Amino acid sequence: ATYGGLTVQVTGRNFFAYPEASCKFGNVAVFLAVTSPTTGTCVTPAHAAAQVTFEVSMNSEDYISLPTGFVFYSPVTMSKYLPRGVPIAGGSIVTVSGTNFRAFGAISTVCRFGSHVVKGTVVSTSTIACRAPPAVPFAVRNVTLAVSLIGAPDPITPGSLFHNVYGQEWSNVMGPFDYYATPSVYVVVPWSGLPLGGARVTVLGDGFRDLGPVGKCSFGGAFGAVTGINSAT
């Protein structure tokens, strides 16, 4: 992001741990910490939003460049998300609204539900969609939600779907996001209506929650909006 401070992992060959080793982002050079003959890390400087050249040198004089360059992007922000909760089994699509969303090819957009990170999809510059994971632990609970544009598949940590391998450039954190027990329906009043529709139907049951303007009732596959939840039953 434009504020810098991101640790970038550099992979190549013939790296040497010289004090003059450096990465250059555009015209700004920073120290390259060589960790092996094929890997090193450097920390991004602050920079205006732009795509710049990215170069590496062992002596701060002779540079080689990465064809794709490096992108400094404006920090992402979340403004809302819907639905505001899902059953503890997860699996529902959560739509996140905000600003400055963009996709970076093989690098995956990720969503963080509490401590569990899953892949997300950039739909537009203002929308990200992600599939909620199961609650961890598997119980009714509230968690926070955040997104990042620089997650990646995690081939190392068993049981982890994704992680933020390139740093901690998360959006603002929002919540609560609710994991709830699956509701039950006992009685529907009235239990019939005219073909034209429009009748108000009262549903009695257990475990109902107001999670924003996304609730629906299904009448044989035709959906009607939930107009209000008066109580959990």
Side-chain angles (χ1 to χ4, degrees), residues 58-146:
M58 298 299 113
N59 62 5
S60 290
E61 292 291 338
D62 302 298
Y63 284 92
I64 56 173
S65 61
L66 184 70
T68 56
F70 187 87
V71 177
F72 287 93
Y73 60 88
S74 299
V76 298
T77 59
M78 290 173 52
S79 57
K80 67 177 181 180
Y81 54 92
L82 288 172
R84 295 198 291 258
V86 299
I88 58 176
S92 301
I93 297 297
V94 177
T95 299
V96 178
S97 300
T99 58
N100 300 325
F101 298 159
R102 61 181 297 172
F104 287 106
I107 300 175
S108 300
T109 301
V110 289
C111 304
R112 186 180 66 198
F113 294 80
S115 60
H116 198 158
V117 180
V118 298
K119 188 181 187 305
T121 300
V122 175
V123 179
S124 70
T125 56
S126 60
T127 306
I128 288 174
C130 42
R131 191 175 298 276
V136 180
F138 196 75
V140 175
R141 63 195 306 262
N142 296 329
V143 299
T144 57
L145 180 61

Side-chain angles (χ1 to χ4, degrees), residues 25-49:
F25 297 86
N27 295 321
V28 182
V30 298
F31 176 64
L32 169 65
V34 174
T35 53
S36 79
T38 58
T39 59
T41 62
C42 50
V43 179
T44 60
H47 195 287

